[in-house]
Amino acid sequence: MGISGKAGPSRAWFILPSLLLLAGLVLGGIAISSFITFVRADFHDYQPGSSISATRDGFTLYVEDGALGPDGLRDLRCAATRPDGATPLRPSSGHTTLSNSRGTFVAIASTPTDFRPGRYTISCHTASAGVDVPLFLGPRVDLAAVGRLVVFGIVAPLFLGVCSVTLFAILAFLRYRSGRIAREAGSLH
């Protein structure tokens, strides 16, 4: 009469949605941690001519908003120099601003992705003259890193969470349905 002897999914099947949920929570936690680290990073004054210690993560150079004027960024070229050579810094695309308790800062140049750690001296020049505005070092702004953070830190955890809840609901429904069918079959005998 359409009653099958199939049992519903075993409890072991519920491990899969639990693992998906755990993976989503771990990815979300890593994203939140890296976001907090970026937000808590502060800007440091750069004293012209002094050397800085740079890590593999690199850095971004900032100036106070409005310090260079409307056309000041157009032909600005910055470099990080070591005793064995200079590394040109990539000009920031667009108008990236970050604010903290000290003011609003505009990103002017960032280290390339293959940046070598070490001690560097920073220099910035325009075609017309040198730059004499105060420079600040801060966290590296990288659009590719932001894209990865969005994909792996927001989209993937949400997708894994939705898959986990959906799979859990399907398994719970199948388990409930098989129990009901078994009870109905038992009452027919």
Side-chain angles (χ1 to χ4, degrees):
M1 262 220 293
I3 300 174
S4 67
K6 289 184 179 180
S10 69
R11 289 182 183 150
W13 277 99
F14 288 91
I15 292 173
L16 181 60
S18 298
L19 289 176
L20 289 174
L21 184 62
L22 180 64
L25 290 173
V26 167
L27 284 175
I30 291 170
I32 289 170
S33 172
S34 66
F35 179 73
I36 289 172
T37 301
F38 180 80
V39 168
R40 293 179 73 193
D42 199 9
F43 301 100
H44 303 285
D45 298 353
Y46 175 72
Q47 302 301 321
S50 65
S51 67
I52 60 162
S53 179
T55 65
R56 189 177 73 82
D57 294 334
F59 58 87
T60 295
L61 282 177
Y62 298 87
V63 295
E64 290 185 76
D65 195 15
L68 291 176
D71 296 329
L73 297 176
R74 185 173 303 149
D75 63 347
L76 183 68
R77 299 291 174 249
C78 296
T81 306
R82 291 171 51 137
D84 59 348
T87 302
L89 301 179
R90 294 183 322 178
S92 294
S93 59
H95 188 78
T96 306
T97 60
L98 296 174
S99 298
N100 65 10
S101 61
R102 294 171 49 190
T104 302
F105 299 88
V106 178
I108 58 172
S110 292
T111 55
T113 54
D114 59 347
F115 189 70
R116 292 183 2 206
R119 296 212 54 86
Y120 289 89
T121 303
I122 310 298
S123 60
C124 291
H125 300 283
T126 60
S128 57
V131 174
D132 58 356
V133 297
L135 297 174
F136 299 88
L137 297 169
R140 185 170 180 267
V141 175
D142 181 11
L143 293 180
V146 171
R148 283 190 301 273
L149 178 66
V150 168
V151 169
F152 292 110
I154 297 171
V155 175
L158 288 175
F159 177 74
L160 290 172
V162 168
C163 288
S164 173
V165 170
T166 304
L167 186 57
F168 181 79
I170 291 169
L171 290 172
F173 173 75
L174 291 175
R175 191 160 172 86
Y176 169 76
R177 184 173 164 235
S178 68
R180 195 181 85 204
I181 291 172
R183 283 191 303 275
E184 288 174 2
S187 67
L188 290 177
H189 292 294

